[in-house]
Amino acid sequence: MLVEVVATSVNLSDWEALQGSPGYARFGGLRRPRRRILGSDVAGRVAAVGEGVTRFRVGDEVYGDNIPRLGGFAEYVAMPASALARKPSALTFEEASTIPQAGAIAQHAVALASPGERLLINGAGGGSGSFAIQLAARKGVHVTAVDNADKLDFLRDLGADRVIDYRVTDFARTGPYDVIVDLVAHRSVFAYRRALARGGRCVMVGGTLRTMLRMLTVGKLLGAVTGARLGVLFVREGPEHFTALAEQCAAGEIRISIDRVLDLAEVAEALTLHSSGTALGKVVITVSNG
Ligand SMILES: NC(=O)c1ccc[n+]([C@@H]2O[C@H](COP(=O)([O-])OP(=O)(O)OC[C@H]3O[C@@H](n4cnc5c(N)ncnc54)[C@H](OP(=O)(O)O)[C@@H]3O)[C@@H](O)[C@H]2O)c1
């Protein structure tokens, strides 16, 4: 399908693809990127449909995550129909563009914790974390949220029971936690193990390649020996993983946190703002007038 983009949001994965770091961000081209235009999350209108597409028609309002192909920071982007869902009418294009990638991560992460359990989210003040805190709090999970000092009031406001400034306190020396979700993982498997309760589970979603390799090797062994589970959360893509959250946003049950909205000509500023450590929630780019 060809989508005329109305709004697109910045994800940490865009910044990682731009930098070629962590190492797995180079999977899309080892020496130079195969995709020249960044941008995964888009919301817009169907401009054309390919043969065999029956679910959508030209003019439909849609949103989705194009992470394997990118190209969303543009006026038009080609995407498979399977990546797209119809945009809820109660959401603006800007709001809808914040949901697909961060929402799918948040839904996968919160599914790991049961009501009454203690969940720690590291890197909680960004796109995924700001959704995950709210989903977890609504589920009756006790949430500890970790990010920099300027974001702690924001985290409390979203429903975190406890907040930790990562520049002051090492979360691995707090706890114990039943579930740890690390969105920016760079710690040793022993640090994570120390913070886990008996039978607890720790997953990294994003972070360094070294931590990922350790999680998949030493982490598995350590888990088998100590009864904890350590690993990597591989988030599945597609509307079935973000539309439930979007409905909750449309119903006003979950808040969408947009720090700033910029224009397409300001993509560089948007990426810089996202990486600056000051944005609360998402940075959005408006491409055309909805
Ligand atoms: N596993 C999968 O299948 C999958 C799928 C898609 C995406 N991802 C990955 O998921 C990750 C999460 O992305 P996101 O969009 O939620 O990120 P985000 O919006 O950039 O949020 C990350 C947050 O972490 C904070 N942070 C940075 N360094 C920190 C540290 N040392 N300790 C604690 N917090 C720290 C950042 O705050 P500061 O302002 O202080 O920097 C920011 O608030 C990305 O790495 C992405 O590549 C994984």
Side-chain angles (χ1 to χ4, degrees):
M1 308 213 332
L2 186 67
V3 176
E4 183 180 7
V5 182
V6 176
T8 168
S9 76
V10 179
N11 286 290
L12 182 52
S13 54
D14 294 309
W15 180 250
E16 293 168 342
L18 181 72
Q19 301 252 301
S21 173
Y24 54 77
R26 290 179 182 247
F27 288 168
L30 256 184
R31 294 188 56 204
R32 67 176 64 143
R34 274 202 301 269
R35 312 283 179 195
R36 303 298 302 225
I37 302 175
L38 299 174
S40 296
D41 277 341
V42 299
R45 287 201 181 78
V46 177
V49 294
E51 227 175 88
V53 175
T54 52
R55 271 198 311 136
F56 298 104
R57 287 204 301 215
V58 170
D60 284 350
E61 297 184 348
V62 293
Y63 69 119
D65 178 7
N66 206 29
I67 192 169
R69 292 156 292 271
L70 303 178
F73 296 163
E75 290 87 347
Y76 290 89
V77 62
M79 296 176 67
S82 59
L84 289 161
R86 239 169 260 278
K87 179 181 82 62
S89 55
L91 297 180
T92 64
F93 287 98
E94 281 75 12
E95 288 170 336
S97 78
T98 67
I99 295 173
Q101 193 173 123
I105 292 175
Q107 288 201 175
H108 278 75
V110 173
L112 302 175
S114 303
E117 285 194 323
R118 296 155 295 184
L119 166 68
L120 178 131
I121 305 171
N122 190 40
S128 316
S130 56
F131 285 134
I133 291 172
Q134 297 180 75
L135 286 174
R138 285 177 66 82
K139 194 175 174 180
V141 173
H142 185 278
V143 184
T144 300
V146 187
D147 213 301
N148 73 54
D150 293 337
K151 300 189 184 181
L152 302 187
D153 285 342
F154 172 63
L155 302 179
R156 281 191 204 95
D157 211 34
L158 291 170
D161 298 286
R162 186 172 166 226
V163 294
I164 292 176
D165 174 1
Y166 70 81
R167 293 186 181 133
V168 173
T169 305
D170 175 5
F171 76 78
R173 299 201 174 274
T174 66
Y177 302 99
D178 302 297
V179 180
I180 296 175
V181 173
D182 199 340
L183 297 159
V184 286
H186 64 280
R187 306 299 304 276
S188 78
V189 292
F190 301 100
Y192 291 118
R193 176 66 195 92
R194 189 168 54 225
L196 278 178
R198 181 182 283 268
R201 179 161 189 193
C202 171
V203 291
M204 72 171 279
V205 179
T208 65
L209 180 60
R210 174 194 276 207
T211 307
M212 180 186 271
L213 295 174
R214 285 176 173 169
M215 280 294 207
L216 294 170
T217 53
V218 192
K220 289 269 176 242
L221 282 174
L222 185 68
V225 173
T226 63
R229 282 172 295 168
L230 293 100
V232 178
L233 180 63
F234 292 103
V235 176
R236 279 163 291 152
E237 295 151 31
E240 61 272 38
H241 304 296
F242 61 75
T243 47
L245 173 68
E247 292 305 331
Q248 286 177 278
C249 295
E253 296 163 7
I254 297 280
R255 195 198 325 163
I256 295 172
S257 307
I258 297 178
D259 186 273
R260 250 175 89 189
V261 181
L262 294 106
D263 294 330
L264 184 58
E266 300 172 305
V267 165
E269 285 89 330
L271 284 158
T272 306
L273 173 61
H274 179 97
S275 67
S276 67
T278 57
L280 301 177
K282 299 282 291 192
V283 176
V284 169
I285 296 161
T286 297
V287 178
S288 68
N289 297 325

